[in-house]
Amino acid sequence: MTSENSTLADFGWNNFFASQVELGETGVPVRVMAVHRDRLHVAGPAIDTLIQPFVETPDDEEAFATVGDWLLLDAQTARPRRLLRRRSLFKRRAAGTGRKLQLIAANVDTLFIVSSCNQDFNPARLERFLALAKEAEVTPVVVLTKADMADNAGDFVRDAGKLLPGLLVEAVDARDAESVACLTPWCARGQTVALLGSSGVGKSTLVNTLTGERLETQGIREDDAKGRHTTTGRALHRLPAGGWLMDTPGMRELQLTDVGSGLDEVFADVVSLARNCRFSDCQHETEPGCAIQAAIGSGEIEAARIKRWRKLAAEEAFNSESLAERHARARAFGKMARSAMAEKRARRGE
């Protein structure tokens, strides 16, 4: 949508972003629709183009633009001036053993967490995505696809709903427009929805049905009921109801980073129990007076949920500490380099 009749509000612009534009500033607001290797696809009223990326601080990975961001372009050169502050940001540690931070999406209002009513349904994976959503203060909605192929779709809905009090869960046939109509309240004008889920759960099919576009899809493998991964990049798709939908590649290795409060909210029942342990440094294993072990023994909470909590909490703490240390080193190096340059200029009499 880039016609003269469109407005910034059609692209998701609101008072939060408008308040960041200084009085008399002549920059042109545009939204990042897609990120390519060396170009950003941006759009707004009467503009739809590719531009070069821009960062103010190369050492700060969060200064890079990602899908959903808002930029101010120079009115004359169409070069980006600055990146506007985000309402929400999804990020992760990139796959592999490195510590590079990868930005997933920005300025999302609702997160559709997509799983399916078959062997792919995985509570631990759903909890990872829920922690991301809660940390970013984005509304999560679990969307269970392939409900038409399951004899017990209701069981999957109940199991998902147990993961978080008040969690919204919808079971759909991703190929049927009438079935997915239950998702339209989150797809209204100016709203941005993101999809997250593992490969093959039907995200591309769901995008096709919601948008009317035809993205490539693949069938289900017979050996494990999993689909084949088709989406290869993140991009915003226009929705008939006026909103925007952001598809994402399947994430087989989603490493949690800086989502401590999100985990605490997803596992609020466990955190509450831990406060009642006799010892403040309780490891919740064999210590006397452990409230969590007592709750497991009484059937108040499942041992499997405690195991998932411990695993995710340890992973998040490790990744966040590693990133903090790396950022500290980068800042120290930058300070040293600036000091050296200042001394060099002083010797030259500059």
Side-chain angles (χ1 to χ4, degrees):
M1 169 191 260
T2 57
S3 71
E4 296 290 347
N5 294 326
S6 66
T7 67
L8 283 172
D10 290 315
F11 289 87
W13 185 264
N14 54 38
N15 290 336
F16 176 84
F17 303 110
S19 66
Q20 300 179 51
V21 180
E22 299 177 2
L23 185 64
E25 193 169 5
T26 59
V28 179
V30 294
R31 196 166 193 195
V32 178
M33 312 303 287
V35 176
H36 304 292
R37 184 179 299 274
D38 59 351
R39 292 290 188 274
L40 300 177
H41 175 199
V42 299
I47 185 171
D48 190 334
T49 188
L50 295 174
I51 65 172
Q52 291 185 339
F54 166 80
V55 293
E56 293 184 352
T57 311
D59 292 332
D60 182 3
E61 289 154 335
E62 292 190 20
F64 287 79
T66 190
V67 178
D69 268 325
W70 281 95
L71 299 172
L72 283 185
L73 300 187
D74 185 281
Q76 301 299 321
T77 65
R79 293 180 178 177
R81 284 183 174 177
R82 61 187 178 93
L83 173 70
L84 297 188
R85 190 169 70 256
R86 298 154 171 144
R87 292 189 66 182
S88 63
L89 176 65
F90 291 107
K91 58 187 178 180
R92 70 168 185 173
R93 185 170 71 88
T97 58
R99 290 291 179 262
K100 185 176 181 180
L101 190 66
Q102 182 182 27
L103 305 185
I104 301 172
N107 300 316
V108 172
D109 300 297
T110 305
L111 181 67
F112 286 168
I113 302 174
V114 187
S115 186
S116 52
C117 298
N118 57 22
Q119 294 170 238
D120 186 77
F121 183 85
N122 186 315
R125 187 182 300 130
L126 291 176
E127 286 165 342
R128 286 177 177 269
F129 291 129
L130 288 171
L132 278 175
K134 288 299 182 179
E135 185 70 28
E137 299 183 355
V138 170
T139 300
V141 178
V142 173
V143 181
L144 301 177
T145 62
K146 305 175 184 176
D148 56 303
M149 304 169 67
D151 296 329
N152 56 343
D155 292 343
F156 290 98
V157 172
R158 284 189 292 273
D159 288 344
K162 293 177 183 177
L163 300 178
L164 187 67
L167 179 62
L168 299 166
V169 183
E170 299 286 355
V172 303
D173 174 359
R175 303 166 299 176
D176 183 4
E178 291 187 4
S179 179
V180 302
C182 59
L183 305 178
T184 55
W186 296 285
C187 303
R189 175 177 179 260
Q191 293 293 299
T192 300
V193 177
L195 272 74
L196 285 181
S198 60
S199 299
V201 296
K203 295 195 307 298
S204 294
T205 301
L206 185 60
V207 171
N208 286 342
T209 304
L210 286 171
T211 65
E213 299 178 8
R214 303 311 304 171
L215 301 183
E216 181 184 359
T217 60
Q218 297 283 353
I220 297 175
R221 296 195 300 257
E222 295 181 358
D223 57 343
D224 59 4
K226 293 180 180 291
R228 298 176 177 87
H229 173 63
T230 54
T231 305
T232 58
R234 293 181 291 277
L236 286 173
H237 303 270
R238 187 66 176 171
L239 293 167
W244 296 92
L245 186 144
M246 185 183 302
D247 192 15
T248 60
M251 294 185 181
R252 297 184 181 275
E253 190 181 347
L254 179 68
Q255 295 288 323
L256 299 183
T257 300
D258 294 334
V259 294
S261 62
L263 278 176
D264 286 348
E265 191 166 351
V266 173
F267 291 95
D269 54 340
V270 181
V271 174
S272 178
L273 282 171
R275 295 194 184 103
N276 296 323
C277 291
R278 180 184 301 176
F279 303 108
S280 60
D281 59 348
C282 182
Q283 299 300 303
H284 316 301
E285 294 178 345
T286 59
E287 294 88 347
C290 176
I292 286 181
Q293 289 299 322
I296 293 175
S298 67
E300 179 182 349
I301 197 167
E302 296 179 352
R305 181 165 170 80
I306 300 300
K307 183 179 180 180
R308 297 195 303 268
W309 167 65
R310 291 165 62 93
K311 179 180 178 180
L312 292 178
E315 176 187 306
E316 193 280 336
F318 172 78
N319 288 337
S320 298
E321 182 180 15
S322 298
L323 284 168
E325 291 174 349
R326 182 166 58 84
H327 289 160
R329 287 195 299 270
R331 287 193 295 269
F333 178 79
K335 183 177 180 180
M336 180 181 67
R338 289 191 295 271
S339 178
M341 289 299 296
E343 292 179 2
K344 186 176 181 179
R345 286 194 297 268
R347 288 196 299 269
R348 292 177 177 177
E350 297 178 2

